[in-house]
Coordinates of all heavy atoms in Angstrom, one line a residue:
S1 N -8.4 -42.7 -15.0 CA -8.7 -43.6 -16.2 C -8.1 -45.0 -16.0 O -8.8 -45.9 -16.5 CB -8.1 -42.9 -17.4 OG -6.7 -42.7 -17.4
S2 N -7.0 -45.2 -15.3 CA -6.5 -46.5 -15.0 C -7.4 -47.2 -14.1 O -7.7 -48.4 -14.3 CB -5.1 -46.4 -14.4 OG -4.5 -47.7 -14.2
T3 N -8.0 -46.5 -13.1 CA -9.0 -47.1 -12.2 C -10.3 -47.6 -13.0 O -10.8 -48.7 -12.8 CB -9.4 -46.2 -11.1 OG1 -8.2 -45.7 -10.5 CG2 -10.3 -46.9 -10.1
K4 N -10.7 -46.7 -13.9 CA -11.8 -47.1 -14.8 C -11.5 -48.3 -15.6 O -12.4 -49.2 -15.7 CB -12.1 -45.9 -15.8 CG -12.8 -44.7 -15.2 CD -13.1 -43.7 -16.3 CE -13.9 -42.5 -15.8 NZ -14.2 -41.6 -16.9
E5 N -10.4 -48.4 -16.1 CA -10.0 -49.6 -17.0 C -10.0 -50.9 -16.1 O -10.5 -51.9 -16.6 CB -8.6 -49.3 -17.5 CG -8.1 -50.2 -18.6 CD -6.8 -49.8 -19.2 OE1 -5.8 -49.9 -18.5 OE2 -6.8 -49.3 -20.4
W6 N -9.4 -50.8 -14.9 CA -9.4 -51.9 -14.0 C -10.8 -52.3 -13.6 O -11.2 -53.5 -13.7 CB -8.6 -51.6 -12.8 CG -8.8 -52.5 -11.6 CD1 -8.3 -53.7 -11.5 CD2 -9.5 -52.2 -10.4 NE1 -8.7 -54.2 -10.2 CE2 -9.4 -53.3 -9.5 CE3 -10.2 -51.0 -10.0 CZ2 -10.0 -53.3 -8.3 CZ3 -10.8 -51.1 -8.7 CH2 -10.7 -52.2 -7.9
A7 N -11.6 -51.4 -13.2 CA -13.0 -51.6 -12.8 C -13.8 -52.3 -13.9 O -14.6 -53.3 -13.6 CB -13.7 -50.4 -12.3
A8 N -13.7 -51.8 -15.1 CA -14.4 -52.4 -16.3 C -14.0 -53.9 -16.5 O -14.8 -54.7 -16.7 CB -14.2 -51.6 -17.5
R9 N -12.7 -54.1 -16.3 CA -12.2 -55.5 -16.5 C -12.7 -56.4 -15.4 O -13.0 -57.6 -15.7 CB -10.7 -55.5 -16.6 CG -10.1 -56.8 -16.9 CD -8.6 -56.8 -17.0 NE -8.0 -56.6 -15.7 CZ -7.3 -55.5 -15.3 NH1 -7.0 -54.5 -16.2 NH2 -6.8 -55.4 -14.1
E10 N -12.8 -55.9 -14.2 CA -13.1 -56.7 -13.0 C -14.6 -56.7 -12.7 O -15.1 -57.3 -11.8 CB -12.4 -56.2 -11.8 CG -10.8 -56.3 -11.9 CD -10.4 -57.7 -12.1 OE1 -10.9 -58.6 -11.4 OE2 -9.4 -58.0 -12.8
G11 N -15.4 -56.0 -13.5 CA -16.8 -55.9 -13.3 C -17.2 -55.1 -12.0 O -18.2 -55.4 -11.3
K12 N -16.4 -54.1 -11.7 CA -16.6 -53.3 -10.5 C -17.1 -51.8 -10.9 O -17.0 -51.4 -12.1 CB -15.3 -53.1 -9.7 CG -14.8 -54.4 -9.1 CD -13.4 -54.1 -8.4 CE -13.0 -55.4 -7.6 NZ -13.6 -55.5 -6.4
D13 N -17.5 -51.1 -9.9 CA -17.9 -49.7 -10.1 C -16.7 -48.9 -9.7 O -16.2 -49.0 -8.6 CB -19.1 -49.4 -9.3 CG -19.5 -47.9 -9.4 OD1 -18.9 -47.2 -10.2 OD2 -20.4 -47.5 -8.7
W14 N -16.1 -48.1 -10.6 CA -14.9 -47.3 -10.3 C -15.2 -46.2 -9.4 O -14.3 -45.7 -8.6 CB -14.3 -46.8 -11.6 CG -15.0 -45.7 -12.3 CD1 -16.0 -45.8 -13.2 CD2 -14.8 -44.3 -12.1 NE1 -16.4 -44.5 -13.6 CE2 -15.7 -43.6 -12.9 CE3 -14.0 -43.5 -11.2 CZ2 -15.8 -42.2 -12.9 CZ3 -14.1 -42.1 -11.3 CH2 -15.0 -41.5 -12.1
E15 N -16.4 -45.6 -9.4 CA -16.6 -44.3 -8.7 C -16.3 -44.3 -7.2 O -15.8 -43.4 -6.7 CB -18.0 -43.8 -9.0 CG -18.2 -43.4 -10.5 CD -19.3 -42.4 -10.7 OE1 -20.0 -42.0 -9.7 OE2 -19.5 -42.0 -11.8
P16 N -16.7 -45.4 -6.5 CA -16.4 -45.4 -5.0 C -14.9 -45.2 -4.7 O -14.6 -44.7 -3.7 CB -16.9 -46.7 -4.5 CG -18.0 -47.1 -5.5 CD -17.5 -46.6 -6.9
Y17 N -14.1 -45.7 -5.6 CA -12.6 -45.6 -5.4 C -12.1 -44.2 -5.5 O -11.0 -43.9 -5.2 CB -11.9 -46.5 -6.3 CG -12.2 -48.0 -6.0 CD1 -13.2 -48.7 -6.5 CD2 -11.4 -48.7 -5.0 CE1 -13.5 -50.0 -6.2 CE2 -11.7 -50.0 -4.7 CZ -12.7 -50.6 -5.3 OH -13.0 -51.9 -4.9
W18 N -12.9 -43.3 -6.1 CA -12.5 -41.9 -6.3 C -13.5 -40.9 -5.7 O -13.2 -39.7 -5.6 CB -12.3 -41.6 -7.8 CG -11.0 -42.1 -8.3 CD1 -10.7 -43.3 -8.9 CD2 -9.7 -41.4 -8.1 NE1 -9.4 -43.4 -9.1 CE2 -8.8 -42.3 -8.7 CE3 -9.4 -40.2 -7.6 CZ2 -7.4 -41.9 -8.7 CZ3 -8.0 -39.8 -7.6 CH2 -7.1 -40.7 -8.2
K19 N -14.7 -41.3 -5.4 CA -15.7 -40.4 -5.0 C -16.4 -40.7 -3.7 O -17.3 -39.9 -3.3 CB -16.8 -40.3 -6.1 CG -16.2 -39.7 -7.5 CD -17.3 -39.5 -8.5 CE -16.6 -38.9 -9.8 NZ -17.7 -38.5 -10.8
D20 N -16.0 -41.7 -3.0 CA -16.6 -42.1 -1.7 C -15.8 -41.6 -0.6 O -14.6 -41.8 -0.6 CB -16.8 -43.6 -1.6 CG -17.6 -44.0 -0.4 OD1 -17.4 -43.5 0.7 OD2 -18.5 -44.9 -0.6
E21 N -16.4 -40.8 0.3 CA -15.6 -40.2 1.4 C -15.0 -41.2 2.4 O -14.1 -40.9 3.2 CB -16.5 -39.2 2.2 CG -17.7 -39.9 2.9 CD -18.5 -38.9 3.6 OE1 -18.3 -37.6 3.4 OE2 -19.4 -39.3 4.3
N22 N -15.4 -42.5 2.3 CA -14.8 -43.5 3.1 C -13.7 -44.2 2.4 O -13.2 -45.3 2.9 CB -15.9 -44.5 3.5 CG -16.9 -43.9 4.5 OD1 -16.4 -43.2 5.4 ND2 -18.2 -44.1 4.3
T23 N -13.3 -43.7 1.3 CA -12.1 -44.2 0.6 C -10.8 -43.5 1.0 O -10.9 -42.2 1.0 CB -12.3 -44.2 -1.0 OG1 -13.4 -45.0 -1.3 CG2 -11.0 -44.6 -1.7
K24 N -9.8 -44.1 1.2 CA -8.5 -43.5 1.5 C -7.6 -43.5 0.3 O -7.3 -44.5 -0.3 CB -7.8 -44.2 2.7 CG -6.5 -43.5 3.1 CD -5.9 -44.2 4.3 CE -4.6 -43.5 4.8 NZ -4.1 -44.0 6.1
L25 N -7.3 -42.3 -0.2 CA -6.5 -42.1 -1.4 C -5.1 -41.7 -1.0 O -4.9 -40.7 -0.3 CB -7.2 -41.0 -2.3 CG -6.3 -40.5 -3.5 CD1 -6.1 -41.6 -4.5 CD2 -7.0 -39.3 -4.2
V26 N -4.1 -42.4 -1.5 CA -2.7 -42.2 -1.1 C -1.9 -42.1 -2.5 O -2.0 -43.0 -3.3 CB -2.1 -43.2 -0.2 CG1 -0.7 -43.0 0.1 CG2 -3.0 -43.4 1.0
H27 N -1.1 -41.0 -2.7 CA -0.3 -40.9 -3.8 C 1.2 -41.2 -3.4 O 1.7 -40.5 -2.5 CB -0.3 -39.4 -4.3 CG -1.6 -39.0 -4.9 ND1 -2.4 -39.7 -5.8 CD2 -2.3 -37.8 -4.7 CE1 -3.5 -39.1 -6.1 NE2 -3.5 -37.9 -5.4
F28 N 1.8 -42.1 -4.1 CA 3.3 -42.4 -3.9 C 4.0 -41.7 -5.0 O 3.8 -42.0 -6.2 CB 3.6 -43.8 -3.8 CG 3.2 -44.5 -2.6 CD1 1.9 -45.0 -2.4 CD2 4.1 -44.6 -1.5 CE1 1.6 -45.6 -1.2 CE2 3.8 -45.2 -0.3 CZ 2.5 -45.7 -0.1
I29 N 4.9 -40.8 -4.7 CA 5.6 -40.0 -5.7 C 7.1 -39.6 -5.2 O 7.4 -39.9 -4.0 CB 4.9 -38.6 -5.9 CG1 4.8 -37.8 -4.7 CG2 3.6 -38.8 -6.6 CD1 4.3 -36.4 -4.8
G30 N 7.9 -39.0 -6.1 CA 9.2 -38.5 -5.7 C 9.0 -37.0 -5.3 O 8.0 -36.4 -5.7
K31 N 10.0 -36.4 -4.7 CA 9.8 -35.0 -4.3 C 9.7 -34.0 -5.4 O 9.2 -32.9 -5.2 CB 11.0 -34.6 -3.4 CG 12.4 -34.5 -4.1 CD 13.5 -34.0 -3.1 CE 14.8 -33.9 -3.8 NZ 15.8 -33.4 -2.8
D32 N 10.1 -34.4 -6.6 CA 9.9 -33.4 -7.7 C 8.5 -33.3 -8.2 O 8.2 -32.4 -9.0 CB 10.9 -33.9 -8.9 CG 10.7 -35.3 -9.3 OD1 10.2 -36.1 -8.5 OD2 11.0 -35.6 -10.5
N33 N 7.6 -34.2 -7.7 CA 6.2 -34.1 -8.1 C 5.3 -33.6 -7.0 O 4.1 -33.7 -7.1 CB 5.7 -35.6 -8.5 CG 6.3 -36.0 -9.8 OD1 6.7 -35.1 -10.6 ND2 6.4 -37.3 -10.1
I34 N 5.9 -33.2 -5.9 CA 5.0 -32.7 -4.7 C 4.0 -31.6 -5.1 O 2.9 -31.7 -4.8 CB 5.9 -32.3 -3.6 CG1 6.7 -33.4 -2.9 CG2 5.1 -31.5 -2.5 CD1 7.7 -33.1 -1.9
V35 N 4.5 -30.6 -5.8 CA 3.7 -29.5 -6.2 C 2.5 -29.9 -7.0 O 1.4 -29.5 -6.8 CB 4.5 -28.4 -6.9 CG1 3.6 -27.4 -7.6 CG2 5.5 -27.7 -6.0
F36 N 2.7 -30.8 -8.0 CA 1.7 -31.3 -8.8 C 0.6 -32.1 -8.1 O -0.6 -32.0 -8.4 CB 2.3 -32.0 -10.0 CG 3.2 -31.2 -10.9 CD1 4.6 -31.4 -10.8 CD2 2.7 -30.3 -11.7 CE1 5.4 -30.6 -11.6 CE2 3.5 -29.5 -12.5 CZ 4.9 -29.7 -12.4
H37 N 1.1 -32.9 -7.2 CA 0.1 -33.8 -6.5 C -0.5 -33.2 -5.2 O -1.5 -33.7 -4.7 CB 0.8 -35.1 -6.1 CG 1.1 -36.0 -7.3 ND1 2.1 -35.8 -8.2 CD2 0.5 -37.2 -7.7 CE1 2.1 -36.8 -9.1 NE2 1.1 -37.6 -8.8
C38 N 0.1 -32.2 -4.7 CA -0.4 -31.6 -3.5 C -1.1 -30.2 -3.7 O -1.9 -29.8 -2.9 CB 0.7 -31.4 -2.4 SG 1.4 -33.0 -1.9
I39 N -0.7 -29.5 -4.8 CA -1.3 -28.2 -5.1 C -2.2 -28.2 -6.3 O -3.3 -27.9 -6.3 CB -0.1 -27.2 -5.3 CG1 0.8 -27.1 -4.0 CG2 -0.7 -25.8 -5.6 CD1 0.2 -26.6 -2.8
I40 N -1.6 -28.7 -7.4 CA -2.3 -28.5 -8.7 C -3.4 -29.5 -8.9 O -4.6 -29.2 -9.1 CB -1.3 -28.6 -9.9 CG1 -0.3 -27.5 -9.8 CG2 -2.0 -28.6 -11.2 CD1 0.8 -27.5 -10.9
F41 N -3.1 -30.9 -8.7 CA -4.1 -31.9 -8.9 C -5.3 -31.8 -7.9 O -6.5 -31.8 -8.3 CB -3.5 -33.3 -8.8 CG -4.4 -34.4 -9.2 CD1 -5.3 -34.3 -10.3 CD2 -4.4 -35.6 -8.5 CE1 -6.1 -35.4 -10.6 CE2 -5.2 -36.7 -8.8 CZ -6.1 -36.5 -9.9
P42 N -5.0 -31.5 -6.6 CA -6.1 -31.3 -5.6 C -6.9 -30.1 -6.0 O -8.2 -30.1 -5.8 CB -5.4 -31.1 -4.3 CG -4.1 -31.8 -4.4 CD -3.7 -31.6 -5.8
S43 N -6.3 -29.1 -6.6 CA -7.1 -27.9 -7.0 C -8.0 -28.3 -8.2 O -9.2 -27.8 -8.2 CB -6.2 -26.8 -7.4 OG -5.5 -26.3 -6.3
M44 N -7.5 -29.1 -9.1 CA -8.3 -29.6 -10.2 C -9.5 -30.4 -9.6 O -10.7 -30.3 -10.1 CB -7.5 -30.5 -11.1 CG -6.4 -29.7 -11.9 SD -5.2 -30.8 -12.6 CE -6.1 -32.0 -13.5
L45 N -9.2 -31.3 -8.7 CA -10.3 -32.2 -8.1 C -11.3 -31.3 -7.4 O -12.5 -31.6 -7.4 CB -9.7 -33.2 -7.1 CG -8.7 -34.2 -7.8 CD1 -8.1 -35.1 -6.7 CD2 -9.5 -35.1 -8.8
K46 N -10.8 -30.3 -6.6 CA -11.7 -29.4 -5.9 C -12.6 -28.6 -6.9 O -13.8 -28.5 -6.6 CB -10.9 -28.5 -5.1 CG -11.7 -27.5 -4.2 CD -12.4 -28.2 -3.0 CE -13.0 -27.3 -2.1 NZ -13.8 -28.0 -1.0

């Protein structure tokens, strides 16, 4: 949703940043969030 907000403001299409296989997605987190970002969220996306 933050990407959508940015893209709308900048006149961009948000979808390539989340749905294009040539986009590199990197999550910066602390170790207490590993399970949520590596197990749960990817399962949701899948």
Side-chain angles (χ1 to χ4, degrees):
S1 59
S2 185
T3 308
K4 284 184 177 181
E5 194 174 69
W6 163 73
R9 186 180 68 243
E10 299 296 323
K12 292 176 176 282
D13 180 4
W14 72 271
E15 291 202 0
Y17 292 88
W18 280 96
K19 298 187 176 184
D20 189 315
E21 62 182 10
N22 290 314
T23 296
K24 184 171 182 176
L25 171 63
V26 182
H27 296 312
F28 283 88
I29 58 170
K31 69 176 177 181
D32 53 335
N33 287 339
I34 289 174
V35 168
F36 298 105
H37 286 75
C38 298
I39 303 290
I40 298 175
F41 189 41
S43 296
M44 291 163 53
L45 297 175
K46 182 71 173 176

